[in-house]
Amino acid sequence: MTLHGAGIGPGAATELFPLLLSVMSTGVTFVRAEEFSDLRTYAAPDVLRYVDGFRRDTGQRVDRSHAEAARRAASASRSGCVSNRLGFAAGPEISSTQEIAVATALIDSPIGAIEPGQVAGRRFHWERWS
């Protein structure tokens, strides 16, 4: 089954919906939750610039230790909630990867123009296995 939700509802699409919809299934073997954000509509310019590193050159260092810890904790909480409620014996380890996308053309954004070669997108991926 695939469900697409839109809007802001932290926890709803990634925790509550999988649990709610699982009651209509004879068995659940896999849960995948995805969240997408468009920086053009995100009203937190300091987060975009200084935490997520948008508009930086790919070689510039961004101190993400606090932000990464917060994202990891949120992922652990959501995946733990779903796996525990569905009866999976999920391990404590969560693997993570990150990718960045650079602009190939000028992008006008609320935090200013993103020049070709600057960070224009980020993808985070977390997995937890049972």
Side-chain angles (χ1 to χ4, degrees):
M1 171 191 328
T2 301
L3 170 72
H4 175 248
I8 298 174
T14 56
E15 291 175 27
L16 300 179
F17 289 160
L19 296 175
L20 176 67
L21 297 173
S22 71
V23 301
M24 295 183 275
S25 302
T26 57
V28 176
T29 59
F30 181 86
V31 176
R32 177 179 175 160
E34 294 182 343
E35 178 181 341
F36 298 90
S37 299
D38 184 345
L39 75 90
R40 295 170 296 182
T41 62
Y42 192 66
D46 286 345
V47 171
L48 295 171
R49 280 189 192 106
Y50 306 116
V51 176
D52 288 334
F54 288 101
R55 288 188 62 200
R56 292 184 182 258
D57 293 325
T58 57
Q60 285 182 298
R61 184 180 181 283
V62 177
D63 183 13
R64 297 185 196 83
S65 57
H66 180 70
E68 298 308 318
R71 286 185 178 112
R72 180 177 286 282
S75 176
S77 174
R78 287 188 286 249
S79 63
C81 173
V82 172
S83 62
N84 289 339
R85 294 288 183 173
L86 292 176
F88 295 129
E93 294 298 318
I94 296 175
S95 66
S96 64
T97 58
Q98 291 186 53
E99 299 172 61
I100 62 166
V102 297
T104 58
L106 184 70
I107 299 171
D108 188 29
S109 80
I111 61 171
I114 300 174
E115 303 284 339
Q118 291 182 326
V119 175
R122 292 186 69 195
R123 178 182 182 203
F124 302 92
H125 180 89
W126 290 276
E127 289 185 351
R128 180 179 232 163
W129 297 92
S130 62

